[in-house]
Every structure is written in C-alpha cells, then in structure tokens.
Amino acid sequence: QVQLVESGGGLVQAGGSLRLSCAASGRSFGSYVMGWFRQAPGKEREFVSAISWSGGSTYYADSVKGRFTISTDKAKNMVYLQMNSLKPEDTAVYYCAAGNSGITYYASLYGYWGQGTQVTVSS
C-alpha cells in the first residue's frame, strides 16, 4: 500500500525558510512524478511544484519560482521541498502527491496523497 508522509511544517517569520519532507513507500516510484500542492483556508488546492522521480525534471508554479526547490533522494525514497524567502501568502497545508501521468499541475492526475503538513508564515 502506497504511503506518503509529510513532515517539516511549522511556524516561521516572513523571509524565513522551511524544508518539507515526504517519505514515500509501498511501491517503486521510478516511473512516477512527485508533486507538492497546498491549500489555504477557504481556497482550492493549488499546485506548487513537481519532479519526475527518474529524470529529475522539475516544474514550479509562478508564485514560488525562484524561492522553492523540489528534490528527491532516491536511496531514501524521499521528496523534499526547500522553501526560502517565505511570505504570509505561502501559509497553507502542504500536501505531497504521486502520480504516473507525467509532470502536471492537475491535482486530479495524482493518485496518491499524503495527509498534509501545516506551514504558517507570520508577517
């Protein structure tokens, strides 16, 4: 059974940094794309970033480009999201997701989801 478990969220001041981690287990993810999404209160879930597990191709939402970096550690089956220069508008629950439909920002094409980790950025 596939499991995605996020960690690393917390409270940080604007301008600060956090690194989110996602531990993936239950299958081989070699052909999969791993994504990060976020959902703020009262808003729809939105795409943040994605990376192909095998080749490392990456994709970012315009709102985080240049501030966030997605990466994987294949040996540990981990996915990371390094978040720098955080802004109050980055406050949300962040979700790790896995899918095999190629790099995409469509949440519906990711079949596996973690439980989420809260990120709060104070001004």
Side-chain angles (χ1 to χ4, degrees), residues 34-107:
M34 307 302 292
W36 286 98
F37 289 76
R38 66 187 182 187
Q39 188 166 18
K43 294 188 177 182
E44 292 187 355
R45 190 169 297 189
E46 66 171 354
F47 172 81
V48 175
S49 183
I51 185 168
S52 64
W53 190 272
S54 59
S57 298
T58 57
Y59 187 35
Y60 296 94
D62 287 343
S63 59
V64 306
K65 205 171 290 183
R67 299 189 299 123
F68 291 10
T69 303
I70 191 171
S71 62
T72 60
D73 183 332
K74 296 181 184 62
K76 297 181 179 179
N77 260 22
M78 296 291 293
V79 185
Y80 303 103
L81 186 68
Q82 178 67 44
M83 306 186 296
N84 299 328
S85 303
L86 282 162
K87 305 175 182 180
E89 51 264 43
D90 294 318
T91 295
V93 177
Y94 283 70
Y95 297 91
C96 177
N100 60 356
S101 299
I103 289 190
T104 177
Y105 52 78
Y106 290 110

